[in-house]
Amino acid sequence: MPDRPYPASLCVSDGGARGATVFSEDFVSTTHSRAPQSAIDRFFDISRRGSTIGTEVRGGLVTFVTMAYIVILNPIILSGKPDVAGTTLDFAAVSAATALTAGVMTILFGVITRLPFAFAAGLGINAFVAFGVVGEVTWAEAMALVMINGVIIVLLAATGLRKLIFDAVPVQLKLAITVAIGLFIAFIGFVNSGFVTSTGEASPPVGLGVGGSVASVPTLMFVITLLLTGILVARKVKGGMLIGIVTGTVLSIVVEAIWHLGAATENPGGWGLTVPALSGSPVSVPDLSLIGAVDFGFDLGKVSIVTLVMLVFTLVFSNFFDAMGTMTGLAKEANLADAKGDFPRIKSALIVEGVGAIAGGATSSSSATVFVESGSGIGEGARTGLANVVTGLVFLLAMFFTPLTSIVPTEVAAAALVIVGAMMLSQIAHIDLTDFRVLLPVFLTATVMPLTYSIANGIGAGFVSWVLVNALSGRVKQISPLLWVVAAGFVVFFARGPLEALLGA
């Protein structure tokens, strides 16, 4: 893994010219940059960021491996769920659309922003669409709402309002978001691996493995992969994370070939979302029938305008702050952010992220947004958009090789998420926690996010508590007016259920 120093400053103007978004000489010298060696190197600023083409390719592959589960998980969430008209989405079609959208948006983001932040269907947003939006409208109308959400996000970013809100956030909260996302993705890893499970009881709600112990072979594979990867990363072995994932996958394939554990749905001790075994042909023709299956002709006789507005409001808030928090955390982890949390081509990044929502709605795969799992590639050394190009190309190939995509078991990929979570937790060292006006919002951000399984919830808890605690303890003048507006918006966001019922009544 390359050295990961903290830059003293960055030039982050977003004027469009490549020279406008370069690092300061201080940053360049600190990262041991070299003179660009090729056109690709110059375009992506690979050498200037202290990376190499090989490192970017490796990082892009690692990111894909840790994100590949979305090609399986997204259709699990979206398909088979009947809408108000009784229509359901086909599993294979959602899987193909998910891979296509992830591939195109990841490449687009990498080329435009030169940042290693990969895209895929946003978890949380897709669940809200499946279990909240579809209860009111048809699937085609739900995806139209996702597209409307994307248009609003693009307008907010293009007008600079999204950046203004971003700048109004105190640097302590931005760092807290990074820490919280680290804990969040580590928690995702623990849950996906079966290391942490629901007890089904009111107290304690979660526990270790099965009956308080690691009782399944897949979870044991997670532990082995986690320790192996951790040792390789600690020893700064190049490609340590990728080596750990590949080794864990090979071991899992051998284990499955010997014991035939199968899927957890058939065997309680089996594998989670993916079984590490390949049967039949590894190649399949993608079903792209869902592209363009949207309907903006909402039947106001069946759904009220108030309900539609509240649905869009919730989508925008979730999309807006999930992405903002994720990009902040990833930029900090990659050492591409300055002291204020700004990073190169930030305006372009915010605009393209909104386009991801439009693209996700247009393909019926739900809003595509920046994925926290990109931290795995960053942990492997990725620092530029070239890693995104690699990730995106493999996603496009995954449309044709869905059987191969499912070889990497979720338990093995989960180990990489825990490693990355540990890396991101290190940012807490840069937060002064001696002031309780800082400590409480940071604490709430870092705990609410993983415990509620929502980036937006964690950010909202941090924003609201920051404004109230600081305002009522003598620091009202230090709070940006925009932060007041955002905090008020989050109050509405948290109370949207009762408010919708009240307005509907």
Side-chain angles (χ1 to χ4, degrees):
M1 184 185 301
D3 295 335
R4 299 158 67 203
Y6 291 91
S9 62
L10 293 170
C11 172
V12 293
S13 68
D14 200 78
R18 191 180 71 85
T21 34
V22 297
F23 301 103
S24 68
E25 290 302 316
D26 179 56
F27 180 86
V28 171
S29 61
T30 303
T31 55
H32 313 293
S33 68
R34 302 167 301 281
Q37 302 298 312
S38 65
I40 292 177
D41 193 328
R42 289 191 297 271
F43 182 82
F44 287 107
D45 283 329
I46 296 173
S47 293
R48 289 180 64 83
R49 296 186 186 181
S51 185
T52 65
I53 291 179
T55 299
E56 296 301 307
V57 171
R58 196 167 59 241
L61 291 174
V62 168
T63 294
F64 170 78
V65 169
T66 55
M67 289 177 61
Y69 71 88
I70 195 63
V71 178
I72 306 297
L73 181 57
N74 198 43
I76 287 177
I77 294 173
L78 297 182
S79 67
K81 172 70 176 176
D83 60 19
V84 293
T87 303
T88 60
L89 299 181
D90 179 71
F91 187 99
V94 175
S95 180
T98 300
L100 174 64
T101 308
V104 171
M105 287 308 308
T106 297
I107 293 172
L108 182 66
F109 188 85
V111 170
I112 292 179
T113 71
R114 323 292 207 267
L115 297 168
F117 306 165
F119 273 58
L123 294 173
I125 296 177
N126 59 1
F128 175 66
V129 170
F131 300 102
V133 180
V134 168
E136 304 289 345
V137 296
T138 65
W139 274 110
E141 291 170 338
M143 294 306 167
L145 291 176
V146 172
M147 293 185 69
I148 293 172
N149 148 67
V151 171
I152 293 173
I153 294 292
V154 169
L155 292 176
L156 290 173
T159 57
L161 183 57
R162 194 175 188 185
K163 178 63 167 59
L164 288 175
I165 295 174
F166 184 88
D167 290 340
V169 180
V171 66
Q172 296 97 325
L173 278 183
K174 290 179 181 178
L175 290 170
I177 290 169
T178 304
V179 172
I181 290 177
L183 294 174
F184 179 44
I185 62 177
F187 189 51
I188 291 175
F190 285 130
V191 172
N192 286 353
S193 67
F195 192 80
V196 172
T197 58
S198 172
T199 62
E201 304 291 338
S203 179
V206 295
L208 172 65
V210 179
S213 63
V214 176
S216 73
V217 174
T219 302
L220 178 61
M221 290 297 101
F222 159 76
V223 174
I224 292 174
T225 305
L226 175 64
L227 294 176
L228 173 62
T229 306
I231 292 169
L232 293 173
V233 171
R235 294 180 64 87
K236 300 186 182 208
V237 175
K238 287 187 176 181
M241 198 169 297
L242 183 59
I243 293 172
I245 293 172
V246 171
T247 303
T249 300
V250 172
L251 287 175
S252 298
I253 292 174
V254 173
V255 166
E256 176 60 23
I258 295 174
W259 283 294
H260 305 289
L261 300 175
T265 53
E266 302 172 357
N267 172 22
W271 304 92
L273 294 175
T274 55
V275 177
L278 180 62
S279 59
S281 173
V283 182
S284 61
V285 178
D287 180 355
L288 302 179
S289 60
L290 289 176
I291 295 178
V294 295
D295 181 9
F296 290 91
F298 304 102
D299 187 350
L300 298 181
K302 295 182 179 179
V303 60
S304 69
I305 293 179
V306 171
T307 297
L308 292 176
V309 170
M310 289 302 295
L311 291 175
V312 172
F313 176 84
T314 304
L315 285 169
V316 169
F317 250 74
S318 297
N319 221 144
F320 187 108
F321 288 102
D322 270 19
M324 189 190 82
T326 302
M327 284 193 279
T328 299
L330 293 176
K332 283 288 184 181
E333 176 63 16
N335 292 312
L336 297 177
D338 63 12
K340 296 188 302 180
D342 289 339
F343 50 86
R345 293 184 172 86
I346 186 170
K347 184 176 181 180
S348 295
L350 296 174
I351 291 174
V352 176
E353 196 279 326
V355 173
I358 299 174
T363 58
S364 293
S365 59
S366 184
S367 177
T369 187
V370 177
F371 243 56
V372 292
E373 282 85 349
S374 303
S376 60
I378 291 172
E380 188 58 43
R383 293 294 180 270
T384 78
L386 179 59
N388 260 35
V389 173
V390 174
T391 303
L393 288 175
V394 182
F395 260 120
L396 294 179
L397 286 174
M399 290 193 301
F400 300 91
F401 295 92
T402 301
L404 285 178
T405 303
S406 62
I407 285 182
V408 180
T410 308
E411 291 80 3
V412 168
L417 300 185
V418 175
I419 293 291
V420 173
M423 291 176 177
M424 297 181 75
L425 181 63
S426 65
Q427 294 294 331
I428 200 169
H430 304 282
I431 306 176
D432 182 5
L433 299 176
T434 58
D435 186 344
F436 196 76
R437 285 170 289 200
V438 173
L439 175 59
L440 182 61
V442 169
F443 172 77
L444 290 176
T445 302
T447 54
V448 171
M449 190 179 295
L451 292 179
T452 65
Y453 233 61
S454 167
I455 293 175
N457 287 348
I459 295 174
F463 280 19
V464 173
S465 60
W466 180 280
V467 168
L468 292 178
V469 171
N470 280 271
L472 298 177
S473 61
R475 289 186 178 177
V476 66
K477 293 183 179 179
Q478 298 181 25
I479 304 173
S480 166
L482 269 178
L483 204 58
W484 279 98
V485 174
V486 173
F490 266 116
V491 171
V492 175
F493 175 77
F494 287 135
R496 63 190 182 278
L499 285 175
E500 182 179 350
L502 180 64
L503 292 174

